[in-house]
Amino acid sequence: MRRRLFAGFFAAVVLLAGCGKKDAPPPPPPPPAAVAGPEFTVLATSDLRDVQPLEEMVLKATGVRLRFRFGGTMESTEAVLTGEARADAAWFANAKYLLSSPQGQARVKLQEKIMLSPIAIGVSESDAKKQGWDKPDLKLTWKDIANAAKAGKLNYALSNPATSNQGFMALMGVVAAAGGKSEALSAADVNRGAIADFLKGYKIPGDNSTYLSEQFILQQGPRANAFINYESWLLSLNASGKLREKLVLIYPHEGVSTADYPFMLLDEARRADYVKVVDYLKGDTAQTWLARQTLRRPIRPDLAAKVEDLLPKQGLQVELPFSPDRALADGLIAAYLNEFRTPIASTFVLDTSGSMNGGGRRQQLVEALHYIAGADASLTGRIARLTQREKLWFMTFSDSVRRPQAFVMPAANPAARGVAEQGDSDATRQVLAEVRDSADRLQMKGGT
């Protein structure tokens, strides 16, 4: 309302100022945004923040008011699966997990691949030279990478395989190569030893590439000598001038997983705008801009030659097969969380003073504790819940700090071969129930 009143006042002032003048020039035409239709909202994963200038570029070229809304990979995937994305389209690094289920396939009306960026291992120049990995014609394999990690010669930063595309696809690359099959793997084919060897070098974890880059810049050297991510991210990091030494990019010889950035229509009613946006994104201007500004490869081979000076020639290798079997993906994530990653130990300091009774604060706290204790069966809820071997302490305080209450999640019984989601054991259910009961018994009283 305030904006409308201001606009009306401004128009009145302009009219009064123009009284008595002859041949006043006509008002300028409204900008494209004023005549464009409703916003075309795109749910995009956070690694695509560097494409935000496309909003203005698409508007000028097509009249479509493109608006990005960024989120994490798993939250965004779940939003699409449940139909709660509140977006006209989605744009992910890849949609293989999303489209591995009938539910996801039903949500996506159309999809077009826009650009390419393969997974690569960026190794500090001095370490690459020491290992003899700096030769351009070297045929290094995923097994070589896993063996180097096991021997302590490769210590790397990597996004959480349970929550990010980069981490998951790197782990999938290791198990696909170790499976020794030309066709896609099944959950039963997973080589558990290859996972264990590879993860011995996992020194800098994190949930997104921005955080990992900051940490790697600080810790590059004895703590970490490698960064596993998409080629585009590693090339951008090399160009930033922030590294102690540049990274040599290695693409395992037997194949890599490549992000193909599908642009997906979710709302059938916006098909016409979707087609306009896709046509622009696959056109010469956008494809060249994306390659030069984000260092992702054009989806169109005829444009690749125009940007070959920016991108390593060996970048596009054989594509590792991706299994359409959802059991493999879910089993691999579950095995990573419950068996292979370093167990988490955390202390929650809980305010139980009398003021927590007001404004629904106690209920919110209880619900949050129930959430980590398995009350939410959604995709993100399953990932956020307490995992096997995890240790947790509740430390409550009001007038004084009370003795911590400890909870220890039991270890899983690992499978002899392959990976699979496992149901909760009696011991697991008991600990989760104890966490929920402890939350329910919280009494808010006293001062802070």
Side-chain angles (χ1 to χ4, degrees):
M1 178 62 71
R2 180 181 300 173
R3 184 174 299 172
R4 291 178 187 171
L5 289 173
F6 178 79
F9 174 75
F10 180 78
V13 170
V14 171
L15 287 172
L16 288 171
C19 290
K21 293 184 178 180
K22 297 181 180 180
D23 301 320
V35 297
E39 289 185 350
F40 188 82
T41 304
V42 178
L43 177 61
T45 45
S46 56
D47 56 307
L48 281 164
R49 288 186 185 277
D50 56 357
V51 306
Q52 194 154 16
L54 286 172
E55 290 178 340
E56 185 66 24
M57 296 166 65
V58 168
L59 176 61
K60 289 180 178 179
T62 70
V64 178
R65 289 199 298 162
L66 191 67
R67 287 293 178 268
F68 290 114
R69 191 175 78 244
F70 299 101
T73 299
M74 280 299 165
E75 308 96 273
S76 299
T77 298
E78 183 172 53
V80 174
L81 286 171
T82 58
E84 297 177 358
R86 300 189 308 279
D88 303 305
W91 200 3
F92 299 169
N94 73 63
K96 292 174 180 176
Y97 184 86
L98 171 65
L99 297 175
S100 65
S101 73
Q103 186 180 10
Q105 295 166 15
R107 298 291 184 192
V108 176
K109 312 306 179 185
L110 292 173
Q111 64 162 319
E112 286 283 347
K113 298 174 182 179
I114 303 300
M115 49 195 175
L116 301 168
S117 193
I119 291 287
I121 299 99
V123 182
S124 297
E125 284 181 333
S126 60
D127 287 274
K129 186 174 183 179
K130 187 187 304 181
Q131 300 294 332
W133 292 352
D134 57 340
K135 301 175 179 61
D137 58 345
L138 182 68
K139 295 182 178 180
L140 207 66
T141 66
W142 280 110
K143 184 176 181 180
D144 294 326
I145 298 298
N147 287 341
K150 180 181 180 181
K153 296 178 180 178
L154 190 75
N155 298 317
Y156 55 84
L158 177 69
S159 294
N160 185 345
T163 60
S164 78
N165 273 316
Q166 304 98 303
F168 179 76
M169 297 309 292
L171 192 57
M172 184 67 79
V174 171
V175 300
K181 298 177 67 175
S182 57
E183 71 274 16
L185 285 175
S186 70
D189 294 324
V190 172
N191 183 325
R192 298 173 62 85
I195 298 176
D197 290 347
F198 175 66
L199 292 176
K200 281 184 170 64
Y202 193 6
K203 301 301 181 183
I204 305 181
D207 284 330
N208 63 74
S209 296
T210 301
Y211 169 81
L212 281 172
S213 295
E214 293 169 352
Q215 293 304 307
F216 184 74
I217 288 168
L218 292 173
Q219 302 181 51
Q220 186 183 19
R223 172 66 176 170
N225 61 3
F227 196 162
I228 303 176
N229 208 305
Y230 293 129
E231 172 191 66
S232 58
W233 196 273
L234 300 178
L235 292 175
S236 296
L237 202 55
N238 270 349
S240 71
K242 296 179 180 179
L243 295 173
R244 296 182 186 178
E245 53 181 304
K246 287 189 175 183
L247 302 172
V248 174
L249 271 58
I250 294 170
Y251 307 85
H253 176 66
E254 67 269 62
V256 295
S257 297
T258 302
D260 51 21
Y261 296 93
F263 193 79
M264 299 170 284
L265 176 65
L266 304 179
D267 184 355
E268 181 63 41
R270 303 301 301 273
R271 178 184 284 256
D273 285 334
Y274 169 84
V275 171
K276 290 179 183 178
V277 174
V278 166
D279 285 347
Y280 177 75
L281 293 179
K282 296 183 73 173
D284 291 11
T285 300
Q287 287 280 293
T288 303
W289 182 87
L290 286 166
R292 295 203 173 278
Q293 297 301 316
T294 77
L295 298 177
R296 297 182 180 98
R297 296 172 181 265
I299 197 69
R300 288 172 45 191
D302 59 305
L303 292 177
K306 294 184 179 181
V307 294
E308 62 181 3
D309 58 312
L310 299 174
L311 303 166
K313 292 182 179 180
Q314 70 272 32
L316 291 181
Q317 303 282 358
V318 174
E319 183 70 11
L320 282 175
F322 185 91
S323 173
D325 180 9
R326 185 65 169 266
L328 171 60
D330 289 340
L332 191 58
I333 291 173
Y336 169 73
L337 290 172
N338 292 294
E339 301 174 47
F340 290 104
R341 76 167 174 178
T342 302
I344 294 174
S346 52
T347 299
F348 287 9
V349 181
L350 309 176
D351 183 359
T352 57
S353 60
S355 62
M356 290 293 289
N357 281 314
R361 286 184 286 274
R362 180 187 181 279
Q363 183 60 29
Q364 292 171 6
L365 175 59
V366 171
E367 288 176 356
L369 297 177
H370 276 232
Y371 179 72
I372 66 167
D376 186 348
S378 68
L379 177 60
T380 51
R382 295 201 311 268
I383 291 172
R385 62 170 277 175
L386 295 169
T387 56
Q388 306 298 324
R389 305 171 296 143
E390 191 165 348
K391 297 179 181 179
L392 176 70
W393 290 267
F394 287 168
M395 181 181 290
T396 61
F397 71 93
S398 55
D399 297 297
S400 60
V401 178
R402 299 174 186 88
R403 179 173 297 182
Q405 181 181 9
F407 306 91
V408 180
M409 293 288 289
N413 294 319
R417 180 178 175 82
V419 293
E421 282 195 289
Q422 299 181 21
D424 290 336
S425 65
D426 291 341
T428 296
R429 286 192 290 270
Q430 180 179 341
V431 175
L432 294 175
E434 290 172 357
V435 173
R436 293 192 294 269
D437 290 344
S438 180
D440 291 337
R441 292 195 303 269
L442 289 175
Q443 296 184 13
M444 309 306 183
K445 57 185 179 179
T448 302

